[in-house]
Amino acid sequence: MLDRLKASLQTLGKAIARGIGLLVAGIVWPFRAAHGWYGERHLMVKAPILAFLLILFGLYGYFFVQTQIWTGFNPSFVDAYRWNERTVPAGQDLPATAPVAAAAAETLNGTAASSPMPAAPVVAARQCQSSAIVDAAADLTDANVNQNAWISSMLLYRLGFFGISWDNTPFLDNKASFQRGVNQAVRRTSSELVDTLGRVRGTSGVNTNLQDARGNLQFDEYSWYFGVDPFGFKTPTPSYYRTAIEKLRAFNADLTACNATFDSRSDNLVQFVDRIANDLGATAAILRDRSENHAAGWFDTRADDRFWFAYGQLYGYYAVLSAAGADFSQVIRERNLTQLWNETLSRFRAALRIQPSIVSNGAEDGMIMPSHLSVMGFHTLMVRSNLVEVRGVLDR
């Protein structure tokens, strides 16, 4: 009995080894044939081919490095802004600082001592509080296109893996999905800045800097220098997003000089929170659909795209809502929302702690293959639940 089992296992092992050998031979054969053909060609033929292969190797090397190194990635990066120390809402006049007042006193005293004429009062230049939301949107976009390469519009990402979209493969597409998730949050924020936050009750004109920023952020995420639909040369996506960064920072510069408007009313915060909650609800529905209908465990090649898009969206909205806590600090204090607001941000932090090396879309009660999409969907819905509660308190 043992001899027959041993013989069966040996036969199986030989068959597996033979299959692996045939597979390796099939993969290696085209390269051996190409090497033989290349060796027989003239230098005039060899040189262009070698140059092409070197360029292709360099491009793929650069593409691999850019997809694997996430510069500036830090779920706790908002702590560096110290927005919780702000006491003045966005758009409100800043109180005169002590150094300005002291300088004014010294100027007055000096003038009084040297001249019998009464000195003119020194008036400090008027300054208003800048918008933390605008800073967050600009810095998130800066991290996407300046600190990192925008993966979705890179040539090799557009070409795919031997004609197969990178989104349909289990590798080299996580960063692209994350960036698009962050960009989704920034796009929604820019729309709200134009329509409600950057104007007074819809009766004032639209701020041109914010409008230009929104238009640039809405540009196609996959545009390279050349395209076929429509055919011809194009401006790549990162150029539009860099222009959006400039426009956002120009708006904040005007706001600091009290030449722009940021309307930090409670009804604007209600609408802003509601739009974010709806956006997260749509993402939760996508996660649920993928989890329920495509539960292939480690072998679901689209699970990582869904996961990292949702992660990027939460990453972006965590920064934006942390900034909103500073811009709407007066509303939050008056409505006694501080504890609930902080609990909402803690929900974001809990979701951002989930960073699996390999995303699995297994059954919810699976023992071997976990369901990371279900976990991310749960945290997304918990965040949304808190936002709905915030909206309810503001609506009272």
Side-chain angles (χ1 to χ4, degrees):
M1 182 68 180
L2 292 177
D3 291 339
R4 281 191 294 177
L5 179 60
K6 183 178 179 180
S8 299
L9 291 176
Q10 289 177 344
T11 303
L12 178 62
K14 290 179 181 178
I16 294 174
R18 190 182 303 111
I20 294 175
L22 291 173
L23 178 63
V24 172
I27 295 174
V28 171
W29 178 82
F31 296 97
R32 292 177 61 87
H35 180 268
W37 178 88
Y38 182 80
E40 298 174 357
R41 303 280 80 82
H42 190 271
L43 181 62
M44 295 295 291
V45 177
K46 289 182 178 180
I49 295 176
L50 180 61
F52 173 78
L53 292 176
L54 288 175
I55 293 173
L56 188 64
F57 180 78
L59 288 175
Y60 268 104
Y62 175 76
F63 177 67
F64 178 82
V65 169
Q66 290 300 321
T67 57
Q68 300 307 303
I69 297 178
W70 298 28
T71 304
F73 174 79
N74 178 16
S76 301
F77 80 99
V78 296
D79 296 341
Y81 291 99
R82 303 171 70 177
W83 283 323
N84 59 339
E85 297 181 5
R86 288 195 180 186
T87 58
V88 179
Q92 301 287 331
D93 287 287
L94 290 171
T97 58
V100 172
E106 290 176 4
T107 303
L108 289 172
N109 292 336
T111 305
S114 60
S115 174
M117 299 296 293
V122 176
V123 180
R126 185 184 173 204
Q127 280 192 326
C128 294
Q129 182 65 268
S130 62
S131 169
I133 292 177
V134 173
D135 281 336
D139 289 347
L140 286 169
T141 307
D142 179 77
N144 265 349
V145 298
N146 290 330
Q147 298 179 35
N148 295 273
W150 179 256
I151 304 299
S152 297
S153 67
M154 292 181 70
L155 176 60
L156 293 183
Y157 187 87
R158 296 292 307 278
L159 294 176
F161 181 68
F162 295 102
I164 302 173
S165 172
W166 287 106
D167 290 338
N168 293 321
T169 67
F171 37 80
L172 302 186
D173 59 346
N174 292 347
K175 185 176 179 179
S177 298
F178 169 79
Q179 288 179 323
R180 292 196 295 268
V182 172
N183 195 49
Q184 170 65 20
V186 174
R187 281 177 165 180
R188 166 54 56 195
T189 301
S190 68
S191 294
E192 296 306 312
L193 284 168
V194 173
D195 294 336
T196 58
L197 302 180
R199 55 195 303 199
V200 180
R201 296 186 181 273
T203 58
S204 62
V206 174
N207 184 277
T208 55
N209 283 322
L210 292 179
Q211 189 174 30
D212 291 343
R214 178 177 65 175
N216 283 283
L217 288 168
Q218 299 298 326
F219 188 73
D220 177 42
E221 295 176 316
Y222 300 93
S223 180
W224 190 60
Y225 291 95
F226 188 85
V228 295
D229 186 22
F231 186 85
F233 293 98
K234 298 181 177 181
T235 302
T237 299
S239 296
Y240 284 92
Y241 293 171
R242 292 187 183 108
T243 301
I245 296 171
E246 295 174 2
K247 297 298 182 179
L248 289 170
R249 290 180 174 158
F251 168 81
N252 245 357
D254 288 344
L255 186 62
T256 302
C258 305
N259 295 325
T261 300
F262 189 96
D263 200 3
S264 55
R265 299 192 324 270
S266 61
D267 57 327
N268 282 343
L269 181 58
V270 169
Q271 182 171 329
F272 188 39
V273 168
D274 184 62
R275 297 291 172 79
I276 294 176
N278 290 340
D279 202 15
L280 292 177
T283 300
I286 294 173
L287 293 172
R288 182 191 63 189
D289 176 73
R290 192 73 196 181
S291 177
E292 292 178 352
N293 301 320
H294 304 84
W298 307 109
F299 305 102
D300 182 3
T301 58
R302 296 305 303 272
D304 56 341
D305 307 333
R306 301 289 187 265
F307 178 91
W308 285 108
F309 178 88
Y311 190 99
Q313 197 175 17
L314 290 170
Y315 186 97
Y317 278 137
Y318 173 54
V320 168
L321 286 173
S322 296
D327 285 350
F328 292 89
S329 57
Q330 183 175 353
V331 173
I332 292 173
R333 285 194 304 268
E334 291 175 351
R335 296 300 184 93
N336 294 321
L337 268 173
T338 302
Q339 182 177 356
L340 181 56
W341 192 268
N342 290 336
E343 288 177 1
T344 303
L345 296 180
S346 70
R347 291 291 185 187
F348 276 100
R349 289 191 290 270
L352 296 178
R353 282 195 289 268
I354 306 169
Q355 301 176 26
S357 299
I358 302 176
V359 177
S360 171
N361 184 22
E364 293 183 0
D365 57 350
M367 295 181 61
I368 299 176
M369 298 183 183
S371 180
H372 293 129
L373 296 190
S374 295
V375 175
M376 182 55 70
F378 166 78
H379 282 283
T380 302
L381 288 175
M382 290 301 295
V383 168
R384 183 181 184 277
S385 176
N386 274 57
L387 291 175
V388 170
E389 190 174 354
V390 168
R391 183 187 62 192
V393 173
L394 290 170
D395 268 339
R396 292 171 189 168

